Structure formats: C-alpha cells, structure tokens
Amino acid sequence: AQYEGEFEVPGVFLNAGENSLRATVVDGGGNESEFSNEIILFFDRQEPTVEDFEVTNGPNLDVRIPEFTATISDGGSGLDLERTELTVGEVVVPFEFDEESNLLSATFEEELPDDEYIATLSVFDLSGNETVAEYEFSIDVDPVDRPQFTLTGFTSLNRVVLAGTGEERTTISVFL
C-alpha cells in the first residue's frame, strides 16, 4: 500500500464462472491481517443461445396477428429477461418465458397490414452478453384479384400460349 493506504493490484486473472476475491495485509514485522470482505464476481463471455425463432405457421401468414416462439438459454450467468426484447419494426412485443422448457412465446398485440416484416429477438444474459436473431415473415390476408389473361397463340401438339397479369407475390394456376 502507498503512504495513504491505497493500493492497486493489476492483472488479476478471472476464471470463467464465479470468482471470490479476498485480501490480507502483511506489515513490516510479518503480521498478517484477517481476510477482507469477500467480493464475488461472475466472469462470463459466453453469449446466450437462441434456437428455433419463428412465427407460428410462418413465414407466409394468412392472419394479421403473428405469434412467435423461440427457445432461449444461457450457460453462464443466466438470462436477463428484463433486457431481452422482441420487436417487429419499432414495436416492442411483450413475451412470456417458461423457465422449465426455456420457451419464449409472444403474440403481437394489434393487427398488422399485408406487408413483409422482420422480427428481431435480442437476448441478454446477466453479464451483458447479447445474441440477436432475426426472422422475416409476410402477411397476406387481403383477398386477391382474379388474374387477367388472354390466348396469345397456338403451338404444336394441342398446346396454347397464355399471357396475362396477376398480383405480385402470388401463384397463378390454370385449370382445364
């Protein structure tokens, strides 16, 4: 210790997991003090795990209120559920977490219009490590207009050529 009793011990290496730090003082005469108060630190550089992040019945939905599930876990300091967040665009989606199954589940609280979306799940642990997972999905609920087509020609072997238009992101089927 310095003249004012202050000291610094640089380069104390921590082990992964829980670390208990205590100190003693030895004076010039070799007398050693009792241990100081214990400081417990948890060293964790392992990121949380996110698996099976998805929208129920996705990625192409025919409902306006999506439901999400994911399995989340952390092998280090434990999950920080208060910092963990699920968003769709700028909207934060409230979630529930089952500790036994590690299942996160959430339901969007309002109807979304037909469009393409990205859901972002940011999972934190108690040491501040973060894992981010994204899921792209679309909502197509509005009825589609029927396709418009015309006969544009004949080919050999009893085949015809059709041309026409339909709505984007749809599949057009022709029936005989």
Side-chain angles (χ1 to χ4, degrees):
Q2 300 294 324
Y3 295 107
E4 306 256 338
E6 296 179 9
F7 68 94
E8 181 179 306
V9 181
V12 176
F13 291 98
L14 299 176
N15 296 312
E18 187 174 294
N19 292 268
S20 172
L21 304 175
R22 300 183 300 167
T24 61
V25 174
V26 178
D27 66 14
N31 301 308
E32 186 172 1
S33 72
E34 294 181 18
F35 281 105
S36 67
N37 292 339
E38 182 178 43
I39 297 174
I40 297 176
L41 299 171
F42 196 93
F43 182 62
D44 173 16
R45 295 181 64 185
Q46 179 180 347
E47 296 175 347
T49 302
V50 176
E51 296 175 336
D52 303 321
F53 177 42
E54 62 188 8
V55 174
T56 304
N57 298 321
N60 302 311
L61 302 178
D62 61 357
V63 296
R64 295 204 181 279
I65 299 178
E67 298 177 355
F68 304 90
T69 57
T71 303
I72 62 174
S73 60
D74 184 65
S77 58
L79 293 170
D80 186 347
L81 296 175
E82 291 191 17
R83 289 187 64 200
T84 295
E85 185 174 76
L86 172 60
T87 58
V88 175
E90 301 289 321
V91 179
V92 176
V93 182
F95 65 86
E96 296 179 358
F97 181 67
D98 181 347
E99 290 184 28
E100 283 187 29
S101 64
N102 290 333
L103 184 68
L104 177 143
S105 57
T107 302
F108 204 81
E109 293 185 317
E110 56 191 65
E111 290 188 353
L112 290 170
D114 284 9
D115 206 347
E116 294 180 354
Y117 298 92
I118 298 176
T120 304
L121 178 58
S122 301
V123 179
F124 288 87
D125 67 14
L126 294 171
S127 294
N129 300 311
E130 177 185 21
T131 298
V132 176
E134 291 186 339
Y135 185 85
E136 295 182 22
F137 67 100
S138 64
I139 295 180
D140 287 314
V141 176
D142 293 335
V144 294
D145 294 329
R146 65 181 177 182
Q148 301 294 321
F149 67 93
T150 58
L151 178 64
T152 60
F154 291 95
T155 65
S156 61
L157 301 175
N158 297 330
R159 295 184 184 180
V160 295
V161 177
L162 304 174
T165 59
E167 290 188 26
E168 291 183 32
R169 296 185 297 144
T170 62
T171 300
I172 298 174
S173 301
V174 176
F175 299 93
L176 293 176

